[in-house]
Amino acid sequence: MLGRPGTALTTLFSNSIPKVQKAAVIAKTGEKVQIKDDHPVKQPDQLKPGECLVRLHCTGVCHTDLHASLGDWPIPPSVPLVGGHEGVGEVVAIGKNTMGSPVKVGDRVGIKWVAYSCLNCEQCRKGLEQNCADVKLSGYTTDGTFQQYVQSWVNIVTPIPEGISSEAAASVLCAGVTVYRALKQAGTVPNDWVALPGAGGGLGHLAVQYAKVMGLRVIAIDGGEEKRRLCMDMLGADAWIDFTETKDIVSEVKRITGGRGANAAVVTAASSGGYTQAVDYLREGGTLMAVGLPAKAQLNASIFFTVFKNICIRGSYVGNRQDAIEAVNIAASGRVKVHYTSKPLKELERVYEDLGKGKIAGRVVLTM
Ligand code: NAD
Ligand code: ZN
């Protein structure tokens, strides 16, 4: 029994849910991804109350998935693991005895990094669902979206509105949500300058667009002609700095901003280089939003200038359910577009190689 009228159906096409599926599995961190076609599918009768099964249409590939497969971070992922946390698909089953489900079988939903949070602890009540003590992370501590069917939780999946395709919505679920929230927290007002190191990547190219929606002026910082064209010609950034060619990024940011410096920086570079000069090119009272998560990196900032210039340095980690709904709705309105290339799931290892070399402008979205 479900708590909402019209939701009594707990399984769609129950006999069409296969026992096995295609999945990309990492046996151990540091090892190559194995593409399997006999990975088990959780069956509807194995779902607990509150759980659902989602048949995925597609999934984005985030640099976080590469960090996970390499074991880059101090908290290791659970292995063996199916990675991925930017999935869109449809609910095909809901656990028996689920009460008050906000979604029903047949609904299109998104799977984001936070797969589960209790919604009742102090952090959840404060809106920090990503810091819930019982949090489960898609593609890190619970199997994620690099498979055809993923088990999830009815209260946490993100409803996907009409007017946006699954492929166009997928990368909003992590890249979009993360930069949207970081920009909201950057303390800017319209017409302020925001510097975006990493602007040509998955998170960064969406940051350029959310920043423009918020009325900010954007300095896109990344490397190479393809990313310059994406940021300047297609996304409408106001200025471009190529970090691979520009010797003095601080002077260049100051020149662009009339000598004053940027009001905020949202760093989405996956290398620590993107962080190094940010405190120096921010103007007094500016905010550095730390988003990119390079392996084994420390944030080196001058204590003197951080204090003297009243700089705020703030970490920002994905977003909660409301951030996800807001970010997806802005994308569905057509004002933010994911620039993606579609590839089949079996190409994942090659996508990781390209991500590691900084070769992907925008995102890759895998089809199932
Ligand atoms: P990506 O590889 O698509 O983009 C990173 C971009 O940074 C690339 O375009 C690269 O050329 C650029 N870059 C590298 N060094 C640079 C430098 N010195 N200056 C300017 N640009 C530079 O990766 P992505 O998927 O966008 O993820 C970016 C980072 O954000 C990763 O570390 C990822 O784990 C992290 N991330 C954090 C959160 C969070 O919640 N904070 C969420 C998702 C991803
Ligand atoms: Zn991600």
Side-chain angles (χ1 to χ4, degrees):
M1 264 293 285
L2 296 173
R4 230 176 65 161
T7 56
L9 189 65
T10 54
T11 312
L12 189 64
F13 326 121
S14 82
N15 49 15
S16 69
I17 293 169
K19 298 276 188 285
V20 292
Q21 59 172 334
K22 262 193 276 174
V25 182
I26 317 167
K28 255 168 80 183
T29 55
E31 287 188 0
K32 288 205 161 153
V33 174
Q34 300 165 22
I35 305 295
K36 304 203 163 185
D37 54 16
D38 58 353
H39 195 71
V41 177
K42 195 152 196 183
Q43 295 298 302
D45 59 4
Q46 296 173 309
L47 297 172
K48 297 191 189 116
E51 293 180 353
C52 58
L53 186 69
V54 176
R55 185 174 68 81
L56 290 165
H57 303 156
C58 58
T59 173
V61 184
C62 179
H63 208 116
T64 289
D65 299 311
L66 174 58
H67 291 303
S69 83
L70 295 172
D72 272 348
W73 295 336
I75 304 169
S78 320
V79 283
L81 178 72
V82 175
H85 56 274
E86 290 187 345
V88 177
E90 67 201 88
V91 178
V92 290
I94 291 178
K96 269 194 196 144
N97 302 318
T98 295
M99 299 298 291
S101 173
V103 292
K104 59 186 187 316
V105 166
D107 283 0
R108 198 159 60 120
V109 295
I111 308 291
K112 57 184 172 49
W113 175 249
V114 176
Y116 170 84
S117 57
C118 78
L119 306 180
N120 274 316
C121 69
E122 178 190 340
Q123 299 302 350
C124 283
R125 288 194 307 266
K126 286 179 174 166
L128 287 173
E129 293 159 15
Q130 59 277 57
N131 294 122
C132 170
D134 292 327
V135 75
K136 291 190 207 306
L137 307 173
S138 304
Y140 209 80
T141 62
T142 185
D143 281 349
T145 57
F146 296 155
Q147 54 183 342
Q148 292 173 298
Y149 289 82
V150 64
Q151 184 243 298
S152 193
W153 283 265
V154 293
N155 284 320
I156 312 295
V157 290
T158 306
I160 305 294
E162 284 178 14
I164 185 166
S165 71
S166 298
E167 288 198 344
S171 295
V172 178
L173 272 311
C174 175
V177 173
T178 301
V179 297
Y180 171 67
R181 177 185 169 99
L183 283 160
K184 279 203 294 188
Q185 294 183 331
T188 54
V189 296
N191 219 38
D192 274 358
W193 282 102
V194 62
L196 299 175
L203 269 66
H205 89 288
L206 295 178
V208 173
Q209 298 175 70
Y210 283 108
K212 294 308 293 181
V213 170
M214 293 173 187
L216 301 175
R217 286 180 287 176
V218 169
I219 305 172
I221 309 177
D222 209 311
E225 179 55 21
E226 191 184 1
K227 291 181 184 172
R228 187 200 67 75
R229 254 188 287 123
L230 173 64
C231 295
M232 297 299 290
D233 302 347
M234 297 167 78
L235 307 178
D238 299 271
W240 164 256
I241 299 176
D242 189 317
F243 80 95
T244 64
E245 291 173 352
T246 308
K247 288 210 174 63
D248 188 350
I249 290 175
V250 175
S251 301
E252 192 51 14
V253 171
K254 291 210 168 149
R255 185 192 65 73
I256 292 164
T257 55
R260 306 271 319 273
N263 302 82
V266 177
V267 183
T268 61
S271 71
S272 54
Y275 280 94
T276 44
Q277 293 129 326
V279 168
D280 298 332
Y281 63 60
L282 285 172
R283 73 176 65 179
E284 295 76 7
T287 300
L288 164 56
M289 297 302 298
V291 174
L293 288 162
K296 301 171 191 74
Q298 304 292 317
L299 189 56
N300 276 320
S302 153
I303 294 173
F304 177 79
F305 283 112
T306 301
V307 174
F308 191 68
K309 288 170 67 180
N310 273 300
I311 298 295
C312 171
I313 299 179
R314 185 165 184 184
S316 191
Y317 174 39
V318 290
N320 60 25
R321 291 169 301 160
Q322 182 62 21
D323 297 316
I325 287 170
E326 290 169 13
V328 167
N329 285 345
I330 292 169
S333 78
R335 282 175 296 167
V336 168
K337 289 196 170 77
V338 180
H339 287 252
Y340 63 88
T341 313
S342 292
K343 303 218 160 145
L345 179 68
K346 63 174 194 277
E347 299 275 317
L348 180 58
E349 188 63 39
R350 234 175 286 161
V351 176
Y352 281 166
E353 282 167 25
D354 287 348
L355 263 183
K357 292 180 189 151
K359 275 190 178 170
I360 296 175
R363 254 306 185 240
V364 168
V365 174
L366 303 176
T367 47
M368 300 300 161

